Amino acid sequence: MNLQERDKIVIWHPFTQLKNAPLPIFIVRGEGSYFFDDQGKRYIDAIASWWVNIHGHCHPYLTRKITEQLQTLEHTLFSGFTHEPGVQLAERLLKRLPSNQSKIFYSDDGSTAVEVALKMAFQFWSNQSITKTKIIAFENGYHGDTFGGMSVGARNVFNLPFSKLLFDVIHISLPIIGKEQNCLSEMQNALQYDDVAAFIFEPLVQGAGGMVMYSEKILDELIKQCNAKNVITIADEVMTGFARTGKFFASDYLENKPDIICMSKGLTGGVMPLGATSCSQFIYDAYISDDKMKTFFHGHSYTANPTACSAALASMDLFDNKVTFENIDRIIKHHNAFLQKIKFHKSLIEVRQIGTIIAFEIKTNEQTHYLNSMAEQVSDFFIKKGIILRPLGNIIYVLPPYCISNEDLRYIYSAIEEFLNIL
Ligand SMILES: *Cc1c(COP(=O)(O)O)cnc(C)c1O
């Protein structure tokens, strides 16, 4: 039996309809922006393995640092104990984060980073005996697949089976061009309730919602309104963090900084699972008390796993090397030149870009966005060309590791153009 057949017997894959699912591609090796399958075929990882990979696969420096850590201290509990990688990573994240952030809470992934943020915000109020249980969130958002994450995310086909179990959230319009006024007035209405605990958002770009982008000006205004009404603001930077949008955090584009920030995905350079939630001092202060009931009773077995923290530290080292930001600028320029070239293509509704993310919304007759049949057609076309591009319905996007070469970018663009031409 080959590996794919063995896989079919024992594995349940994520986001995959099991009936008639095509056999998965057997990846045996990664190097830079490439994967190689068991037949020796090479693929360009044009979506950074679901937006996590930053410096390329099997980066020698990351590999060395992780190996050193594994030989020193692989893991320890983090309640009552501490270690160098955990402390150093918090110090270095805080240097890069907006200056109002002052504490780091570790978890395992993006969904748990969001759960921590929501619980931190709810208990911030309950510790002061204030009843605030409503959350404001954008329509069409994505904040992970746990119950809290699903509750604040879009109500769509993915969480329909659980819809009765999700907590109430006030969803407001995303301030895309033309919807700014709707969004602002919906926010004003939402803020009239005096039991709103927090406002959570993906800053400047909604990832899973289809790489939908909106302006920092409006977000600044929304945060200002929340501040005026004592509503905690939570930036979910799980996708946007670590320079995806051109600045280290999308929050760096804002004048009004969020109170809580969620990180994961690119945090370890895409090598190990790790989540982190940072907060302002005033949030933390509400938990300091002689009353034990005011403790934040939350933690995961692998909280602050030293090996994962060492991967994140090594990734931060690479960010201190100017080559990384030169690469980011290079990708931004190439994306932009291609955007200018292709933007009036007859098969496109729109092309949009922020930083190293470029997205192409393709014309289609189907109404459904997520279950659009175009998705399979797109994946197959690009896999044949040795490019990994998993679209979001009728939206193709390129979100590469920063080490991708100009030649590979040009190859991806020309394949996209070819695909658009045959539609
Ligand atoms: C991916 C993502 C999450 C969930 O992260 P996981 O590591 O997949 O649990 C949460 N928020 C945003 C904005 C994301 O893009």
Side-chain angles (χ1 to χ4, degrees), residues 6-73:
R6 280 165 48 210
D7 172 292
K8 210 171 169 64
I9 295 171
V10 292
I11 303 286
W12 188 339
H13 284 274
F15 285 108
T16 306
Q17 172 47 247
L18 309 164
K19 189 168 178 190
N20 301 330
L23 289 176
I25 295 167
F26 178 9
I27 298 293
V28 291
R29 193 167 70 80
E31 185 186 331
S33 42
Y34 305 123
F35 280 133
F36 298 85
D37 72 12
D38 59 329
Q39 311 294 314
K41 180 172 172 176
R42 194 183 82 175
Y43 301 86
I44 304 171
D45 186 3
I47 55 166
S49 287
W50 262 354
W51 326 342
V52 301
N53 195 281
I54 296 280
H55 310 291
H57 295 284
C58 296
H59 192 288
Y61 180 72
L62 294 175
T63 309
R64 176 159 66 83
K65 290 303 222 181
I66 296 164
T67 309
E68 282 170 14
Q69 185 59 45
L70 272 174
Q71 288 164 342
T72 316
L73 173 70

Side-chain angles (χ1 to χ4, degrees), residues 291-325:
D291 180 356
K292 285 224 166 58
M293 284 309 294
K294 295 193 175 168
T295 307
F296 190 45
F297 288 114
H298 186 105
H300 301 275
S301 317
Y302 283 101
T303 296
N305 173 259
T307 315
C309 288
S310 77
L313 282 169
S315 174
M316 295 296 271
D317 288 345
L318 295 180
F319 272 113
D320 287 342
N321 183 335
K322 70 175 186 345
V323 173
T324 302
F325 275 97

Side-chain angles (χ1 to χ4, degrees), residues 210-211 213 334-335 338-343 345 347-353 357-363 374 378 382 389 391-399 412-413 416-417 419-420:
M211 301 295 160
M213 300 166 193
H334 275 73
H335 275 358
F338 184 57
L339 179 146
Q340 297 307 334
K341 177 177 180 217
I342 202 83
K343 65 181 173 188
H345 195 286
S347 306
L348 289 174
I349 299 169
E350 187 185 53
V351 189
R352 31 186 193 260
Q353 183 198 358
I357 308 169
I358 186 168
F360 311 86
E361 188 166 344
I362 299 173
K363 283 184 190 154
M374 183 169 288
V378 173
F382 288 98
L389 266 189
L392 299 155
N394 61 325
I395 292 150
I396 300 183
Y397 63 93
V398 184
L399 190 160
I412 296 168
Y413 300 149
I416 290 174
E417 209 172 339
F419 179 79
L420 295 176

Side-chain angles (χ1 to χ4, degrees), residues 143-211:
H143 298 285
D145 290 339
T146 49
F147 272 88
M150 284 195 293
S151 294
V152 295
R155 301 300 163 94
N156 59 25
V157 288
F158 293 133
N159 51 42
L160 200 62
F162 316 105
S163 55
K164 288 208 170 68
L165 304 168
L166 304 180
F167 58 75
D168 270 345
V169 167
I170 307 171
H171 283 105
I172 63 171
S173 302
L174 190 73
I176 50 172
I177 294 167
K179 284 278 186 82
E180 294 97 332
Q181 279 317 315
N182 298 34
C183 170
L184 285 170
S185 65
E186 285 165 34
M187 177 59 99
Q188 264 156 20
N189 289 343
L191 289 174
Q192 279 170 5
Y193 297 99
D194 49 16
D195 58 347
V196 179
F199 166 44
I200 185 167
F201 50 88
E202 291 162 272
L204 309 191
V205 47
Q206 288 187 323
M211 301 295 160

Side-chain angles (χ1 to χ4, degrees), residues 51 109-112 114 142-145 202 207-208 236-239 264-265:
W51 326 342
D109 50 49
S111 301
T112 52
V114 167
Y142 179 74
H143 298 285
D145 290 339
E202 291 162 272
D236 178 353
E237 293 244 20
V238 169
M239 197 273 290
S264 185
K265 292 206 166 114

